[in-house]
Amino acid sequence: MELLKTPTVVGSIGRHLSIGDRLSLQQVSEEVASALRPSDLDYYKARLSKTHIIYDPQFMDPLLLDEFDATTAFQVRKTSDPTKTCVLIHSLLTDYIKNLMALDLTDEDSYGSVFGSKMISEQDKARILVNLRKYADMDDADNVVYLETSDKVQNFLNKFTKIKFDEMRDNFDNQDYSIVALLVETLNILDQEENMVQFFKDENKFPYDFFPDTILDSGNQLDKEALSTVIQDLVKYFNDKSRVIDECFGQQLPVMLMYMESVLEKEIIGKFLSDECHKNMEIVPIVYYELLVNFVSNLNDSLNVGKNYKVMTRTFINLYFEPLVAQYLEETITLFEENSIEEINKFEKDYEEQDKLEQENIYKSILNEYNTDENKTNKFELLTSFTKMFSKSDSNAEEIKFKTNLEVITKNLKNLKNYINFELSSEIINQAKAKVDSVLVFESIDGSVIDKKRINEHIELIFIKLIGILEIYHVKPGFEKAIDVLNRYDPTEFKSLESLESLNTVEPLVKFTELINIGDLIYQMLEIFYENELVQKKILDKNEFLNNANQAKKRFEATLDNFVANGLNIGIDKLMDEIEFLFNTLQLPNDFNPKSEDIAVTINGPTKCAKTVVKLLSNHINLLNGSTEKGVIDVFQQEIGERFFQVIVKNIKKRQISTNGAIILICDLNLYYDFIVNTLRQKNITPYFAALKQVGQLYLISKDDSKELGKLIGDLSKFNGIFRQEEIYEFVTKRTDWLKVRKDVEKAMYGLGITDCVIM
Amino acid sequence: MADMEDYAYDYDYLLKIVLIGDSGVGKSNLLSRFTRNGFNLDSKSTIGVEFATKTLEVDGKKLKAQIWDTAGQERYRAITSAYYRGAMGALIVYDITKPETYENVSKWLKELKDHADDNLVVELVGNKSDLEHLRGVPTEEAKHFAAENQLLFTETSALNADNVDLSFEQVAKAIYNMVKKNQLDLSDYSGAKPPTGQTISLTPTPGAESNKHKSNCC
Ligand SMILES: Nc1nc2c(ncn2[C@@H]2O[C@H](COP(=O)(O)OP(=O)(O)O)[C@@H](O)[C@H]2O)c(=O)[nH]1
Ligand SMILES: [Mg+2]
């Protein structure tokens, strides 16, 4: 013990002693105590620093002894006297440490001995244990003691914690939630927050059979009732859990939100709903809506979460649902496009099949009519037998060919208006409308994952796609086909004289206008869509010229107008072909040049040809009424008027007209004029027909007035401005007495007769 | 079938009658009232010439009146001549509410004298008699003028059809009587001389045989 007399030696020994041992050494003698004293401050400061108790010389320490016990030993945060504080903590906890060190950890029944004979609560036990742990950590000057003590404390702490979890599980299973609540308190003291949350999750595994097999019906469409049941079940499930959580955890531990988030992420959205949505992306908006609105709003208040419960739940839903929504937005338009095109293709296929069938029926019936041998032998090879029939030098062959062509053409014309289908287009437009409604669901939701701007862009995109699909895949090819049929139609090909007299309409023009009507109806529907879905919902500004949707609409309009213009042009061509054909067939050579005895009949009004022509025209001029705008109708009717005028001029120039025949010609021209004025009613055109009336009068003039006739030709061209002088001259050459009047006429016109020139 | 009559001679004589008078006096409406029993309150002024026919019965004979209606403003003598050529009757129409149209009657008479046949039957027609309250031309004065110039005379209303048929029938009858009186002369005309046949104004009924022949030709 000599050594202990040397203060430096004592000091360095003391530095490596546990708190208990150092205090014991201090008791040995006054010399030892004073030898230790210089290092006390450093020693105890080092201890306290392990437990984060701050040394502050200025600090006013409370009366430690009175205020602290083993459960609260470490509540001190600051001290001006580390020695005193450390010694105090030691004194509060040393008995427990001793008890613990003496404890046999395998003997759970003796665990109570650690805490002495006094009855204390489980929470206090936990607090003491936590403090023992801190003490063991702090008491690390002697490494051997430190390792031994901290090891034992930790082991015991683990055992104790496990026992508490076991108890919690038992009580949880028995639904003794008030006891669970106490255990939660204890475990909370033991810093078991995470484990407890995990425990709750483990104990409340989301039932694997919670959801139905699917919420889609057999047609892969959303079964709204099934979805609603799922939502109700979820509400009930979470409200149950929330009640339990509130009872067990109160506000001690944020279990509910963690539980909610994990189930939403892993089970509800991540698994079930995501699977269902991937079966049919179209259900995304409504599923999202149900979840965010009907699920969230029916959740009961949670004590555990507090007032942010619903807001937080929405945040989680948005977080985990967002990828689905993004995918939906991306795919829904592609899907729309694919489906629409598929529908259009199906329509066309059906149409072609129907067309083929009709064609075969034509072949069949004609074969039957002519009842050839091939007909019986080659029943299933109509075309083959047909071509065979043609190749035969049968006398019937030409007739059969003619009949077949006629019927095929008749069929094609009849079907012309079916090239564009209103129902199909309307169906596609309705689908687009449904798409808009779907995406608008997102707008109706509070705290929606996509904002107004994104929704607007999406709706615009739907509209642009819609227009593009109808334009490119349906309207355009439809009109192209129709125009092709129109183009190939030759009105003169299949006409007999009888059919001419009863000719009422130019079928292709009539059918084409029906097609225009359909095209116009489709445009009107798009216009309504545009107004209702885009303008009224303030998705876009009508006047924004550069806007893509506005441009797409304009383009569609222009396409339609183009086809209408092209088709009508061809239609008018055909109508005029037909009229010219009538003039060439029904206008008889002597119509305006009756033989002398015929004069008596001359006054019976216009010729049959003129009446037929006017009847045919009358049947066509109003084709467009009610379907297109006034401007288009005017252009159409004026074009008919102008072209008709030209055909009449051509017809007159082909005729020989006598002075008596002039009366009949004038009757015809009056009829044309009346038709223009009273039926067509296109004022711009009237002067042409008035001019024709004047031309008619040229033929009334007696040959005795041939000189005046010449002057008149010059005057008339100046006066009405419709015909040039040469043209009026040409008309006059159609007089039956032209050769007799020619010289005088030319003299009056040019001062010299052309014949005179020739002679010169 | 419906057009059969176009080719059939369903009359005994064909008469050309012209309607003349100032624009707006009601010529076109007299014509449409007579031939179609129609009236048009805002009829457009006539351009060129319009024709209409109606068959009348006089003395058991069918007279087919071929009536020419013109604007009456033709600036070309050659055309005016064509209008009057072969005409056997003329109605000079004035508007009883417009004295100036009545005053112009002499101008029209002169035009007839210049262009038409001397044997022409002329009737003075005061139209719009329904507008009695606006009358500007006394009936007696017109009647007197007609008598002096050997014209037939009536006042008509195309609007309410008063005297319309009568005025045309009266002219047709006078022509017929004149023709009967000059039966011999007529045979000169009946020879028909086309293609210059502009003087033919009255055509006798062709025989039934030639009738059939005509139908075939058309
Ligand atoms: N009140 C009345 N008006 C008439 C009568 N006849 C014609 N009109 C009107 O007078 C105008 C000119 O008629 P219109 O037959 O064209 O005369 P035109 O130029 O001589 O052919 C039209 O507005 C007719 O409605 C009539 O008898 N009574
Ligand atoms: Mg007139």
Side-chain angles (χ1 to χ4, degrees):
Chain A
M1 289 309 239
E2 273 310 294
L3 275 175
L4 290 179
K5 285 180 177 141
T6 318
T8 51
V9 174
V10 173
S12 61
I13 289 171
R15 211 170 291 134
H16 297 289
L17 293 177
S18 68
I19 299 167
D21 288 346
R22 184 172 171 114
L23 289 174
S24 302
L25 181 64
Q26 198 183 312
Q27 302 294 312
V28 171
S29 69
E30 187 48 36
E31 287 96 54
V32 176
S34 57
L36 284 172
R37 200 160 296 125
S39 62
D40 269 359
L41 184 62
D42 282 346
Y43 177 85
Y44 288 112
K45 253 168 68 186
R47 301 290 74 73
L48 288 184
S49 76
K50 305 279 176 191
T51 64
H52 310 292
I53 296 174
I54 297 157
Y55 166 59
D56 178 3
Q58 314 299 323
F59 190 70
M60 295 276 285
D61 289 32
L63 287 169
L64 291 169
L65 265 172
D66 294 344
E67 285 183 28
F68 298 104
D69 60 25
T71 65
T72 57
F74 280 97
Q75 274 179 10
V76 60
R77 293 271 133 250
K78 253 185 190 176
T79 181
S80 59
D81 188 348
T83 309
K84 199 170 157 196
T85 301
C86 205
V87 170
L88 170 71
I89 291 167
H90 170 78
S91 69
L92 289 172
L93 298 173
T94 186
D95 287 347
Y96 295 101
I97 293 287
K98 276 182 197 141
N99 293 345
L100 180 59
M101 294 313 285
L103 183 72
D104 176 3
L105 281 177
T106 59
D107 180 11
E108 281 188 22
D109 293 340
S110 63
Y111 281 8
S113 64
V114 173
F115 305 100
S117 48
K118 229 170 72 192
M119 277 287 286
I120 59 169
S121 70
E122 296 302 306
Q123 288 92 319
D124 280 347
K125 285 181 185 172
R127 285 185 193 104
I128 292 168
L129 276 177
V130 171
N131 286 347
L132 291 183
R133 227 205 106 105
K134 286 184 185 161
Y135 179 82
D137 287 344
M138 179 177 87
D139 191 16
D140 62 346
D142 180 341
N143 204 36
V144 177
V145 173
Y146 167 70
L147 288 175
E148 200 181 357
T149 316
S150 58
D151 195 48
K152 190 78 182 251
V153 171
Q154 188 58 51
N155 282 340
F156 183 64
L157 204 55
N158 291 350
K159 293 267 183 195
F160 185 83
T161 304
K162 188 182 171 303
I163 289 165
K164 293 297 143 199
F165 270 116
D166 289 346
E167 286 176 24
M168 188 156 86
R169 180 167 294 114
D170 291 344
N171 286 296
F172 196 89
D173 291 347
N174 293 332
Q175 303 184 6
D176 286 333
Y177 299 130
S178 56
I179 300 175
V180 175
L182 294 176
L183 288 161
V184 167
E185 237 184 288
T186 308
L187 286 164
N188 232 351
I189 296 163
L190 296 170
D191 286 332
Q192 292 301 310
E193 289 88 347
E194 264 176 51
N195 287 336
M196 274 192 285
V197 171
Q198 193 54 48
F199 163 83
F200 185 84
K201 283 184 189 166
D202 291 346
E203 283 296 303
N204 294 277
K205 284 245 167 60
F206 193 76
Y208 69 94
D209 57 354
F210 182 90
F211 290 118
D213 285 345
T214 180
I215 49 169
L216 298 171
D217 61 21
S218 53
N220 209 35
Q221 299 303 307
L222 182 68
D223 177 347
K224 287 207 172 113
E225 235 168 79
L227 173 62
S228 154
T229 308
V230 163
I231 296 293
Q232 282 164 27
D233 289 350
L234 283 172
V235 167
K236 188 179 174 305
Y237 181 82
F238 281 100
N239 282 342
D240 282 350
K241 294 298 169 197
S242 172
R243 189 179 42 78
V244 171
I245 286 171
D246 282 354
E247 274 186 58
C248 296
F249 299 95
Q251 287 178 301
Q252 299 185 69
L253 194 64
V255 180
M256 189 63 212
L257 276 185
M258 291 188 215
Y259 184 69
M260 174 69 88
E261 179 178 4
S262 108
V263 177
L264 274 173
E265 181 196 358
K266 298 199 176 77
E267 305 290 343
I268 301 170
I269 298 174
K271 213 180 272 167
F272 180 71
L273 292 181
S274 165
D275 287 353
E276 294 301 296
C277 287
H278 279 115
K279 287 181 204 161
N280 177 1
M281 278 321 273
E282 298 307 315
I283 70 171
V284 166
I286 200 72
V287 168
Y288 176 69
Y289 178 88
E290 283 289 317
L291 203 56
L292 209 65
V293 175
N294 287 337
F295 169 66
V296 174
S297 64
N298 284 308
L299 291 175
N300 294 337
D301 287 346
S302 160
L303 174 69
N304 187 258
V305 184
K307 65 177 172 12
N308 273 339
Y309 183 36
K310 288 177 185 176
V311 173
M312 290 305 291
T313 307
R314 276 200 201 103
T315 308
F316 294 142
I317 292 172
N318 279 343
L319 180 65
Y320 297 110
F321 219 92
E322 213 245 24
L324 278 174
V325 172
Q327 195 186 347
Y328 162 79
L329 289 179
E330 204 171 287
E331 283 181 17
T332 186
I333 288 184
T334 321
L335 269 174
F336 168 58
E337 189 170 20
E338 284 169 2
N339 285 345
S340 303
I341 292 172
E342 199 177 305
E343 264 176 66
I344 291 171
N345 288 342
K346 189 180 167 308
F347 165 82
E348 275 172 6
K349 219 178 121 228
D350 288 353
Y351 179 86
E352 270 160 30
E353 262 162 33
Q354 182 61 33
D355 195 62
K356 219 176 108 194
L357 215 74
E358 282 178 27
Q359 186 135 340
E360 277 176 11
N361 281 338
I362 290 173
Y363 290 153
K364 247 184 233 167
S365 70
I366 287 174
L367 278 174
N368 277 336
E369 200 177 316
Y370 289 86
N371 203 22
T372 58
D373 308 335
E374 283 85 357
N375 162 21
K376 287 156 207 147
T377 48
N378 279 325
K379 241 186 244 166
F380 302 104
E381 288 176 62
L382 281 165
L383 256 170
T384 330
S385 56
F386 222 77
T387 27
K388 265 190 201 162
M389 234 163 82
F390 284 150
S391 55
K392 282 205 319 187
S393 56
D394 193 313
S395 60
N396 275 339
E398 275 306 306
E399 193 184 333
I400 295 171
K401 201 169 180 173
F402 175 83
K403 263 211 162 127
T404 316
N405 285 346
L406 175 64
E407 294 208 14
V408 169
I409 287 215
T410 309
K411 167 191 72 68
N412 284 347
L413 286 181
K414 195 183 92 227
N415 291 343
L416 192 92
K417 68 170 197 297
N418 299 335
Y419 287 146
I420 296 172
N421 187 279
F422 178 71
E423 282 75 28
L424 174 70
S425 307
S426 149
E427 168 63 27
I428 292 171
I429 292 171
N430 281 332
Q431 278 171 19
K433 165 98 176 73
K435 298 274 165 189
V436 171
D437 289 345
S438 282
V439 77
L440 281 174
V441 166
F442 292 111
E443 197 188 38
S444 68
I445 303 173
D446 246 8
S448 171
V449 69
I450 52 174
D451 59 11
K452 176 81 178 134
K453 186 168 167 277
R454 185 88 193 276
I455 290 169
N456 288 358
E457 283 168 4
H458 187 80
I459 292 175
E460 237 186 273
L461 210 61
I462 292 172
F463 181 68
I464 292 169
K465 268 274 143 53
L466 168 67
I467 284 194
I469 291 165
L470 287 178
E471 182 185 339
I472 294 160
Y473 294 96
H474 194 46
V475 172
K476 223 170 147 204
F479 267 116
E480 274 164 3
K481 266 191 270 175
I483 283 177
D484 187 48
V485 171
L486 259 185
N487 252 329
R488 280 183 292 148
Y489 173 78
D490 175 2
T492 61
E493 198 175 349
F494 302 108
K495 291 230 162 67
S496 62
L497 216 59
E498 311 98 77
S499 72
L500 270 183
E501 302 203 353
S502 56
L503 184 73
N504 287 321
T505 53
V506 179
E507 274 309 284
L509 186 53
V510 175
K511 295 300 172 197
F512 191 78
T513 49
E514 283 177 41
L515 198 67
I516 292 175
N517 288 354
I518 297 167
D520 198 60
L521 272 179
I522 294 171
Y523 179 74
Q524 280 174 30
M525 282 194 76
L526 285 173
E527 183 73 39
I528 291 169
F529 186 99
Y530 174 82
E531 275 295 328
N532 291 353
E533 308 302 324
L534 285 94
V535 177
Q536 275 180 28
K537 287 176 181 160
K538 303 214 161 51
I539 307 291
L540 54 72
D541 179 0
K542 233 179 176 171
N543 302 316
E544 213 182 292
F545 179 71
L546 287 176
N547 172 283
N548 287 335
N550 285 342
Q551 286 202 333
K553 186 168 152 280
K554 283 228 171 65
R555 205 189 48 226
F556 184 86
E557 218 175 331
T559 306
L560 212 59
D561 284 353
N562 255 338
F563 279 121
V564 169
N566 283 347
L568 286 182
N569 259 341
I570 299 167
I572 291 172
D573 281 351
K574 301 294 169 182
L575 178 61
M576 290 306 148
D577 287 353
E578 197 118 17
I579 284 169
E580 233 176 292
F581 185 65
L582 286 176
F583 275 131
N584 292 339
T585 46
L586 287 187
Q587 193 89 80
L588 304 175
N590 287 334
D591 268 357
F592 308 132
N593 182 22
K595 290 183 207 141
S596 59
E597 315 90 272
D598 287 340
I599 299 163
V601 306
T602 56
I603 201 65
N604 282 303
T607 59
K608 182 189 289 269
C609 173
K611 285 192 255 180
T612 312
V613 161
V614 165
K615 196 170 97 195
L616 180 67
L617 277 172
S618 307
N619 285 338
H620 291 88
I621 54 164
N622 291 324
L623 281 178
L624 292 176
N625 289 12
S627 69
T628 16
E629 48 186 298
K630 180 86 173 68
V632 176
I633 295 170
D634 284 346
V635 169
F636 173 71
Q637 294 190 340
Q638 282 170 20
E639 176 76 11
I640 287 185
E642 273 174 43
R643 301 273 302 270
F644 179 42
F645 167 77
Q646 286 156 12
V647 176
I648 295 169
V649 166
K650 212 164 145 189
N651 183 48
I652 296 174
K653 288 178 180 172
K654 273 189 199 152
R655 303 291 153 191
Q656 289 289 303
I657 302 142
S658 66
T659 340
N660 286 319
I663 299 174
I664 307 170
L665 175 66
I666 291 172
C667 280
D668 280 5
L669 295 175
N670 285 346
L671 179 70
Y672 301 147
Y673 178 85
D674 288 346
F675 163 74
I676 297 295
V677 170
N678 299 320
T679 312
L680 193 72
R681 286 189 225 173
Q682 289 294 341
K683 287 212 167 61
N684 302 353
I685 303 302
T686 321
Y688 292 94
F689 287 82
L692 280 176
K693 279 187 161 208
Q694 285 180 324
V695 166
Q697 295 184 96
L698 290 175
Y699 301 102
L700 271 180
I701 292 170
S702 157
K703 75 172 191 314
D704 303 335
D705 286 326
S706 53
K707 284 195 189 93
E708 272 217 27
L709 196 55
K711 262 189 269 162
L712 225 108
I713 295 171
D715 271 14
L716 277 188
S717 60
K718 269 178 252 156
F719 178 63
N720 64 36
I722 303 283
F723 296 111
R724 285 170 294 113
Q725 177 166 308
E726 304 81 79
E727 227 170 345
I728 296 178
Y729 173 85
E730 200 190 340
F731 280 127
V732 174
T733 65
K734 302 303 163 191
R735 288 177 61 109
T736 46
D737 55 9
W738 171 240
L739 290 178
K740 287 179 194 144
V741 300
R742 177 176 181 177
K743 204 171 160 185
D744 285 340
V745 167
E746 284 173 357
K747 226 174 210 158
M749 277 178 77
Y750 310 112
L752 269 194
I754 289 172
T755 37
D756 293 345
C757 295
V758 173
I759 290 164
M760 280 173 82
Chain B
M1 288 299 284
D3 286 339
M4 261 307 272
E5 59 175 329
D6 286 2
Y7 302 100
Y9 293 96
D10 52 352
Y11 56 85
D12 300 304
Y13 295 102
L14 180 73
L15 325 167
K16 174 173 173 180
I17 298 169
V18 291
L19 276 165
I20 53 178
D22 286 3
S23 170
V25 298
K27 298 182 295 293
S28 298
N29 274 289
L30 280 171
L31 180 65
S32 62
R33 174 63 76 198
F34 178 58
T35 56
R36 285 182 277 120
N37 199 21
F39 183 84
N40 191 354
L41 248 180
D42 50 26
S43 66
K44 306 212 167 47
S45 61
T46 311
I47 297 175
V49 55
E50 308 262 355
F51 312 105
T53 57
K54 182 153 171 172
T55 307
L56 307 166
E57 260 201 46
V58 176
D59 276 4
K61 298 279 181 201
K62 283 193 174 120
L63 307 183
K64 185 159 185 169
Q66 180 193 96
I67 305 154
W68 292 41
D69 171 29
T70 73
Q73 307 164 311
E74 197 42 76
R75 303 186 305 144
Y76 299 101
R77 194 193 56 76
I79 292 179
T80 317
S81 297
Y83 287 161
Y84 296 123
R85 194 192 323 134
M88 303 187 70
L91 277 75
I92 303 181
V93 186
Y94 67 93
D95 180 342
I96 65 147
T97 70
K98 292 205 171 72
E100 65 273 20
T101 66
Y102 173 70
E103 267 134 41
N104 276 336
V105 167
S106 8
K107 193 199 91 186
W108 290 109
L109 271 173
K110 181 170 185 307
E111 180 142 330
L112 282 179
K113 225 177 131 191
D114 290 350
H115 296 288
D117 199 285
D118 290 342
N119 292 329
L120 192 75
V121 172
V122 183
E123 178 179 32
L124 182 62
V125 178
N127 188 39
K128 309 201 186 178
S129 64
D130 54 289
L131 301 175
E132 186 58 46
H133 55 295
L134 298 174
R135 176 183 288 276
V137 182
T139 312
E140 282 313 311
E141 191 192 322
K143 206 183 237 171
H144 186 72
F145 178 84
E148 256 180 8
N149 290 280
Q150 287 162 304
L151 312 175
L152 297 166
F153 175 72
T154 31
E155 281 191 354
T156 57
S157 167
L159 183 122
N160 61 28
D162 265 3
N163 285 343
V164 174
D165 287 356
L166 177 102
S167 68
F168 282 99
E169 279 161 15
Q170 177 165 295
V171 170
K173 242 181 226 161
I175 297 171
Y176 177 72
N177 288 335
M178 193 191 68
V179 166
K180 248 185 17 188
K181 217 175 74 197
N182 302 329
Q183 196 62 261
L184 263 168
D185 306 352
L186 190 71
S187 58
D188 291 343
Y189 289 107
S190 64
K193 357 174 192 166
T196 41
Q198 69 262 50
T199 55
I200 293 177
S201 51
L202 189 68
T203 313
T205 315
E209 303 305 308
S210 59
N211 182 6
K212 259 186 197 137
H213 173 72
K214 296 278 140 45
S215 305
N216 290 345
C217 115
C218 302

